[in-house]
Amino acid sequence: NTALDDPMKNFSRVIVKPFTSMNISGGNGYAIEIRQGNNYDIMLMNSRKSFFRMKESGDTLTINFSVANQTYQLPQSCITGLVITVPKLMSLHLSGTNNIIGPFAQDSLNLFQDSRTFTRMRQGTFTKLSIDATQESTIDMERGNTATAFLLRLKNKASLTMNGISVEKFIPIVKDSARLIFFGKSFDQLKGNY
């Protein structure tokens, strides 16, 4: 029995083996939530099953979530179509998708994104955070993020908004027509190590 107010009432579980690296490609019409939890778990919206393909190879999980691309609404307005829970994730490659990452607390995360990917990071705590973004992809550090060391590489019209992150050591590499956007409070939280 599923309660009517259960946010997962229209989702089904997809069985998955443990993994430490994940590649996700597809469209941006539905958000993909990636968060930390005790188990490896994938919940897929029932109406989106025909758009979901998964391949497991060693410690790498590859997902194609081929929902349509949308341009008529903000990515923040899209409903969630896929929820992925992992105890620990070392490497994440996102291509063309709309994502919400967090909460997470772990030693390190390597995030690569391209092809107009839109990612919102929330409540991530990392000793080392490495982000590589290209091809007009966007990352918004929304709230509650901390990193002891943050290595950032932006190029080819990619952008990152430093809205909600506290960093001890920040190493930005911004090339071509990429953008790095600071808000006053985030600039203050850099602690002078840049």
Side-chain angles (χ1 to χ4, degrees):
N1 287 338
T2 304
L4 291 176
D5 60 350
D6 180 356
M8 295 284 112
K9 69 179 177 283
N10 294 320
F11 286 73
S12 295
R13 180 164 275 111
V14 176
I15 304 300
V16 64
K17 295 183 290 190
F19 57 90
T20 59
S21 179
M22 189 165 46
N23 303 318
I24 304 175
S25 62
N28 66 10
Y30 286 81
I32 299 170
E33 290 186 32
I34 304 162
R35 55 186 168 202
Q36 195 169 38
N38 294 329
N39 301 306
Y40 295 89
D41 191 39
I42 296 177
M43 297 297 289
L44 173 63
M45 182 182 274
N46 293 329
S47 64
R48 302 296 97 193
K49 285 182 179 181
S50 64
F51 300 97
F52 179 84
R53 300 285 177 267
M54 182 178 85
K55 179 183 174 191
E56 298 169 298
S57 179
D59 69 345
T60 301
L61 177 67
T62 301
I63 292 174
N64 182 273
F65 193 49
S66 61
V67 294
N69 283 318
Q70 58 81 25
T71 56
Y72 56 88
Q73 65 181 354
L74 294 172
Q76 300 90 326
S77 301
C78 294
I79 63 170
T80 298
L82 184 61
V83 179
I84 302 167
T85 306
V86 296
K88 186 173 185 178
L89 188 60
M90 301 302 297
S91 177
L92 178 59
H93 184 172
L94 303 169
S95 186
T97 53
N98 176 1
N99 314 281
I100 301 166
I101 300 176
F104 262 93
Q106 61 183 40
D107 290 338
S108 65
L109 176 66
N110 295 312
L111 172 62
F112 306 89
Q113 69 177 52
D114 55 37
S115 302
R116 295 185 176 184
T117 295
F118 182 81
T119 298
R120 291 163 278 168
M121 291 193 77
R122 300 174 177 163
Q123 299 170 328
T125 302
F126 307 98
T127 303
K128 180 185 172 204
L129 177 61
S130 175
I131 295 178
D132 286 83
T134 186
Q135 298 172 335
E136 298 181 49
S137 63
T138 302
I139 301 164
D140 187 357
M141 305 301 271
E142 280 191 346
R143 62 178 182 265
N145 297 292
T146 61
T148 304
F150 181 15
L151 173 59
L152 174 66
R153 292 182 209 80
L154 298 174
K155 65 181 181 178
N156 297 352
K157 298 183 181 179
S159 67
L160 184 134
T161 302
M162 301 276 285
N163 190 20
I165 185 166
S166 175
V167 177
E168 288 186 29
K169 183 171 183 174
F170 183 47
I171 304 168
I173 301 168
V174 182
K175 295 184 176 184
D176 308 320
S177 53
R179 294 177 298 150
L180 176 58
I181 303 159
F182 284 94
F183 284 79
K185 65 180 178 182
S186 292
F187 192 74
D188 293 341
Q189 292 172 343
L190 284 177
K191 302 183 181 176
N193 295 314
Y194 46 89

